[in-house]
Amino acid sequence: MYRPGSIISFFTALYRDGFRNMTWGKPLIWLIILKLVIMFAVLRVFFFKPAMRGLSPEQKSEAVGNALLQNHNNDTTLNLLTQ
């Protein structure tokens, strides 16, 4: 069960025992699992497509560098305008 030095074991036991003693425990656990599957599997497949698919490593590094420089330039301009 719970070992004094393991915080993960403590929280696992807390949730396991808490859901076990609930009348709606099992359906609630399945609802949480279904929600996580929808969030991480389905939404990622349909809405979060990789932006740099098909680029070579050099092109990817160039794109990231340009995006960082663009964000830095925008932040610098914004800071100069607000002072």
Side-chain angles (χ1 to χ4, degrees):
M1 182 146 170
Y2 168 66
R3 295 182 316 224
S6 176
I7 191 82
I8 296 173
S9 296
F10 172 75
F11 282 111
T12 303
L14 180 75
Y15 279 103
R16 184 185 62 233
D17 294 339
F19 281 118
R20 185 181 296 148
N21 294 327
M22 291 173 55
T23 56
W24 284 89
K26 285 186 180 182
L28 191 58
I29 288 174
W30 285 109
L31 183 65
I32 291 169
I33 291 171
L34 178 66
K35 178 183 169 183
L36 290 173
V37 166
I38 289 171
M39 283 175 28
F40 290 110
V42 175
L43 289 178
R44 184 181 188 285
V45 168
F46 290 111
F47 294 108
F48 303 113
K49 301 205 185 262
M52 291 192 255
R53 180 185 306 167
L55 297 179
S56 69
E58 294 82 17
Q59 292 170 328
K60 288 179 183 179
S61 65
E62 184 70 26
V64 170
N66 289 338
L68 289 173
L69 287 174
Q70 182 68 28
N71 287 339
H72 176 70
N73 290 338
N74 288 343
D75 291 344
T76 305
T77 306
L78 182 62
N79 289 338
L80 289 174
L81 293 174
T82 58
Q83 288 180 354

